[in-house]
Amino acid sequence: MPIRLTRWAQSCVRIEGPDGALVIDPGVYGESATVLAGADGVLLTHDHVDHVDGPAVAASGLPVWGPAAALDVVADAGADRARLHEVRAGDELTVGGLGVQVVGEWHAVIHPDLPRGANVGYLVGAVLHPGDAFVIPPSGAVVEVALTPVSGPWLRMADAVDWVRSVGAVRAVPIHDAWLSEAGLRSAGDWLARLTSATVVAAHPGEVVKL
């Protein structure tokens, strides 16, 4: 289990272990340069701007892993292609001393008229980040913390509840919530707490989640 999880804006988190740190989905809604400082690498779930701040990630000089379209965003912002690494479901890697499994393939459907882009999730130790899809971890995987999207044009709360149940999460940390009011945030947490067995741990950007 990683020893420190810090929640940042929208879907961005920083996970730190004894040998290093990684950042997942530093998007344009947050202080990406601050989040990236001192990290060992960046994991991107997909190419939407609320998940990848291309200029900030490029300027960081860090190695980056993600689907091809997300890497293109960083390359177009000036990053060296040599440090950009495409991943797919089933890949396993180590970033900052932390073991990572790649899961999932497609972004959740926003509308049938829109094409679906690639989206992967990451299981870092026992912390699962799904990006913009309710990805299923490998059979037998232990999910202590499910980073749980609670708002978006592709999302129903019923689906979030069913996902937390299906992965057997011990804790659910709401993410993808930048479009919600304080009342909406409380409501989302209340639904998760009421309809799942997970302990809901709400954290504002910059707060450390106790594991």
Side-chain angles (χ1 to χ4, degrees):
M1 167 67 73
I3 63 171
R4 184 181 176 95
L5 170 66
T6 306
R7 170 51 204 311
W8 291 95
Q10 186 70 326
S11 292
C12 181
V13 297
R14 179 174 171 127
I15 301 175
E16 300 172 80
D19 300 315
L22 60 80
V23 175
I24 305 177
D25 280 3
V28 299
Y29 292 168
E31 301 175 2
S32 296
T34 298
V35 179
L36 293 166
D40 295 283
V42 181
L43 306 179
L44 302 175
T45 63
H46 64 289
D47 62 335
H48 291 168
V49 296
D50 56 327
H51 295 258
V52 52
D53 181 341
V57 175
S60 73
L62 295 172
V64 184
W65 289 262
L71 300 180
D72 287 343
V73 173
V74 184
D76 290 346
D80 181 356
R81 281 279 185 184
R83 63 181 179 84
L84 307 181
H85 312 284
E86 185 177 358
V87 295
R88 295 180 176 85
D91 289 347
E92 297 185 6
L93 48 142
T94 301
V95 182
L98 297 163
V100 180
Q101 297 182 68
V102 183
V103 296
E105 184 176 9
W106 296 108
H107 193 287
V109 174
I110 297 174
H111 189 278
D113 288 352
L114 299 175
R116 294 177 72 184
N119 178 96
V120 299
Y122 297 101
L123 184 62
V124 184
V127 176
L128 180 59
H129 192 307
D132 277 9
F134 291 120
V135 301
I136 302 302
S139 177
V142 174
V143 178
E144 292 284 346
V145 177
L147 300 167
T148 307
V150 294
S151 177
W154 54 275
L155 186 147
R156 296 188 315 154
M157 184 53 63
D159 295 331
V161 166
D162 287 345
W163 180 71
V164 171
R165 290 176 174 177
S166 72
V167 301
V170 177
R171 299 178 184 87
V173 178
I175 62 169
H176 210 275
D177 58 0
W179 303 330
L180 294 180
S181 65
E182 286 296 325
L185 291 170
R186 289 193 299 272
S187 178
D190 288 347
W191 282 115
L192 289 173
R194 178 181 176 184
L195 293 172
T196 77
S197 61
T199 299
V200 178
V201 183
H204 291 290
E207 290 185 353
V208 176
V209 176
K210 293 182 180 180
L211 303 177

